[in-house]
Amino acid sequence: MSAGQAAGEEADAAAASPALPRVLSALFYGTCSFLIVLVNKALLSAYSFPSPMFLGIGQMAATILILYVSKLNKIVHFPDFDKSIPVKLFPLPLIYVGNHLSGLSSTSKLSLPMFTVLRKFTIPLTLLLEIIILGKRYPLNIIVSVFAIILGAFIAAGSDLSFNLEGYIFVLLNDIFTAANGVYTKQKIDPKELGKYGVLFYNACFMVIPTVIISFSTGDFQQATHFQHWTNFFFVFQFILSCLLGFLLMYSTVLCSHYNSALTTTVVGAIKNISIAYIGMLIGGDYIFSMLNFVGLNICMAGGLRYSFLTLRGNSKPAQPGDEENALPVSKS
């Protein structure tokens, strides 16, 4: 059986899953993703916490601890370590840490609405990687919905009055890592191999030590240990909450990708981000209003809702060979 056929059968199985787990897993992912952005924004901006890598280390440590204790108590199951596991996981650990660090860095350097707008570019990247890596093909109406979201992002970002080049670079890197993470996770969570929990646990194990080394060498760790708010109960509470939400976000991402597709998971995240943008206009304090930006956000939301409607109606599963005339052709260039 070819890789393309296997990916097609996997996608069909996901599409045939009962509607309730698909919807609930998407809502769970959207809720976790919504909450962690708000908490991280408070830590990195409101409290001016200087060490995004240290925060990422805390989230990885929480993931390792929760899953290891759960395995010891037979709540979850995943294989014990052996020399084949790094080969099975590659390149997920590298993508995982890149996604973590670029996301945390970009959150602290951009206004909340503009961060959420630029994250939309994850969607076409996911679409492209699913075509290349998983062999999927999507109907034209799904493609149109995706690019409506991108059009809105271009319009909104083009009128950004608080332009920050470093922030834009970090968030676009985060888009690339997020797209790759979603697609490769979908490929790696085969229950006959590592399964959902094994992927999460070994990803965090392989990358926590290199991240600690990088944090030490860049001064990130030292800045974190000398931070003045460690005696502030509300700061410590939000730091611990961010670590727990980091685990829940990774778990919910895997769960949503298992029951749906990587593209659906990405679009759920986009809809959540647009909702955060609306909230940021009212309570964030760092949004600079412009009509183009506001129009762009609304176009993004319309595209996201259209995609959601088509997905629930069952049109997001990959096109079969007989339906190729309705699918967007893959460019050979």
Side-chain angles (χ1 to χ4, degrees):
M1 181 184 294
S2 69
Q5 288 174 323
E9 289 182 5
E10 179 187 351
D12 289 341
S17 298
L20 186 60
R22 295 174 64 195
V23 172
L24 289 179
S25 65
L27 288 174
F28 180 41
Y29 165 68
T31 301
C32 292
S33 188
F34 178 90
L35 291 174
I36 198 170
V37 169
L38 294 183
V39 173
N40 286 347
K41 183 67 176 176
L43 289 172
L44 298 170
S45 295
Y47 285 101
S48 300
F49 186 63
S51 308
M53 261 189 282
F54 188 85
L55 183 56
I57 291 167
Q59 293 174 353
M60 293 179 204
T63 298
I64 293 168
L65 181 62
I66 291 169
L67 288 177
Y68 184 70
V69 171
S70 298
K71 179 178 170 65
L72 288 179
N73 288 281
K74 303 187 184 304
I75 298 171
V76 302
H77 303 279
F78 53 87
D80 294 328
F81 180 79
D82 63 60
K83 62 183 180 181
S84 69
I85 284 178
V87 176
K88 291 177 181 177
L89 267 184
F90 187 82
L92 263 182
L94 299 178
I95 295 169
Y96 170 86
V97 74
N99 190 33
H100 244 74
L101 301 183
S102 60
L104 290 169
S105 298
S106 59
T107 301
S108 64
K109 296 180 185 300
L110 290 174
S111 70
L112 195 56
M114 286 318 304
F115 168 77
T116 60
V117 165
L118 292 173
R119 291 287 285 132
K120 305 302 171 295
F121 292 98
T122 304
I123 301 172
L125 291 170
T126 303
L127 182 70
L128 180 63
L129 289 176
E130 283 200 320
I131 291 170
I132 295 171
I133 297 171
L134 302 181
K136 292 186 178 182
R137 295 176 68 83
Y138 283 97
L140 184 60
N141 50 11
I142 291 292
I143 304 294
V144 170
S145 298
V146 165
F147 280 93
I149 298 172
I150 305 311
L151 174 63
F154 267 115
I155 292 172
S159 64
D160 185 13
L161 302 180
S162 56
F163 181 82
N164 182 314
L165 179 60
E166 186 180 2
Y168 274 45
I169 291 171
F170 272 118
V171 79
L172 291 175
L173 283 173
N174 190 218
D175 291 343
I176 294 169
F177 284 123
T178 300
N181 186 66
V183 174
Y184 276 106
T185 296
K186 180 72 174 178
Q187 187 185 59
K188 303 286 185 182
I189 57 175
D190 185 350
K192 296 178 182 177
E193 299 291 336
L194 297 177
K196 299 187 292 292
Y197 302 110
V199 167
L200 290 174
F201 180 79
Y202 289 115
N203 254 339
C205 285
F206 288 144
M207 292 318 301
V208 68
I209 294 176
T211 307
V212 169
I213 293 171
I214 295 171
S215 181
F216 264 107
S217 63
T218 59
D220 179 273
F221 193 92
Q222 292 85 343
Q223 290 182 48
T225 56
H226 291 95
F227 187 59
Q228 60 182 345
H229 287 299
W230 285 115
T231 55
N232 183 324
F233 171 80
F234 293 104
F235 169 79
V236 173
F237 173 78
Q238 289 184 67
F239 184 89
I240 295 172
L241 181 61
S242 176
C243 293
L244 295 176
L245 285 172
F247 161 71
L248 288 177
L249 177 61
M250 287 182 277
Y251 175 63
S252 64
T253 301
V254 169
L255 202 64
C256 188
S257 295
H258 173 71
Y259 284 110
N260 298 284
S261 68
L263 181 61
T264 296
T265 302
T266 306
V267 171
V268 170
I271 295 172
K272 171 269 306 179
N273 285 339
I274 300 165
S275 302
I276 291 177
Y278 287 129
I279 293 172
M281 294 177 191
L282 301 175
I283 64 174
D286 55 1
Y287 178 70
I288 302 174
F289 179 83
S290 87
M291 184 54 69
L292 275 179
N293 185 278
F294 184 70
V295 169
L297 287 175
N298 285 296
I299 293 174
C300 283
M301 179 60 87
L305 293 177
R306 172 66 175 165
Y307 178 93
S308 301
F309 171 75
L310 293 171
T311 301
L312 290 174
R313 210 176 63 178
N315 285 350
S316 67
K317 61 183 179 182
Q320 301 303 312
D323 299 325
E324 287 185 357
E325 65 274 14
N326 297 321
L328 186 72
V330 180
S331 172
K332 299 294 184 184
S333 61

